[in-house]
Amino acid sequence: MKKLSLLFLAAMLCVSACACKLTVKPAETETVEYTVTWALEESDEPVENGYFYVYYGDENVTAYAVNIDDVDITEGALSVLVYLNENYDVPLSYSASAYGAFLTGFGSLSAEGNAFIALYTTNADDQNVPGEYTKELNIDGKSFVTAGVGVSSMHVIGGESVYLTLETF
């Protein structure tokens, strides 16, 4: 019985040691065809300077071009999402904390179960440092990279964009 127990213990240690050596490869640039629908009539031919772009969805992406002069920017890109919620009835839900907002819903996106709202940005200052969790997407001719800051800390600069989508952990 002791030999069987020791053999079982040795096998478990071996399995544990092997599992610890697994590594995750960094994600490569993902090129996916997205259909982009501009949600506001005035967004059909947006002007780069002075507009901040909000994209959300999966393969069917909805986009807004928001004139940043119309937004009271107090909490980064969250201010733009609040503006869209208050002025265009785009559903928005989040929880506030000392670290900023945690998005739980925006537009058709709803973070439930093991899903969360992932943020991607075109602004180099807000992008994640290169590493195993960095991901790049190409949407509407723009290169979006995993955000390294939360929505409350994202810079709102004319010509820059944010993309919100559901991902799972």
Side-chain angles (χ1 to χ4, degrees):
M1 186 67 173
K2 281 186 180 181
K3 286 184 182 181
L4 186 59
S5 295
L6 289 174
L7 185 59
F8 178 75
L9 181 60
M12 293 305 294
L13 287 173
C14 199
V15 168
S16 297
C18 292
C20 293
K21 293 182 181 182
L22 292 176
T23 57
V24 178
K25 286 186 172 181
E28 296 178 14
T29 300
E30 188 174 319
T31 303
V32 179
E33 279 297 317
Y34 293 92
T35 302
V36 176
T37 304
W38 289 97
L40 302 176
E41 191 174 304
E42 60 267 26
S43 296
D44 289 340
E45 293 183 32
V47 179
E48 281 291 314
N49 296 331
Y51 283 80
F52 184 78
Y53 302 91
V54 177
Y55 294 80
Y56 71 90
D58 43 39
E59 285 82 21
N60 296 309
V61 176
T62 302
Y64 289 91
V66 178
N67 185 334
I68 57 178
D69 291 335
D70 295 341
V71 181
D72 181 22
I73 301 167
T74 57
E75 291 187 72
L78 179 65
S79 300
V80 177
L81 302 183
V82 169
Y83 171 84
L84 289 171
N85 172 255
E86 292 174 350
N87 293 279
Y88 297 100
D89 297 322
V90 179
L92 170 66
S93 60
Y94 63 93
S95 57
S97 76
Y99 302 105
F102 179 78
L103 292 176
T104 54
F106 184 76
S108 60
L109 305 175
S110 180
E112 297 174 353
N114 64 345
F116 63 95
I117 296 178
L119 301 172
Y120 292 82
T121 181
T122 58
N123 185 337
D125 291 336
D126 292 338
Q127 293 175 353
N128 193 16
V129 292
E132 66 183 275
Y133 300 110
T134 301
K135 189 171 166 184
E136 183 176 339
L137 303 172
N138 294 304
I139 304 169
D140 201 28
K142 297 180 180 187
S143 178
F144 290 84
V145 175
T146 312
V149 297
V151 68
S152 301
S153 300
M154 285 187 156
H155 296 88
V156 178
I157 299 170
E160 298 293 351
S161 303
V162 63
Y163 171 56
L164 296 83
T165 190
L166 285 179
E167 293 188 358
T168 58
F169 55 88

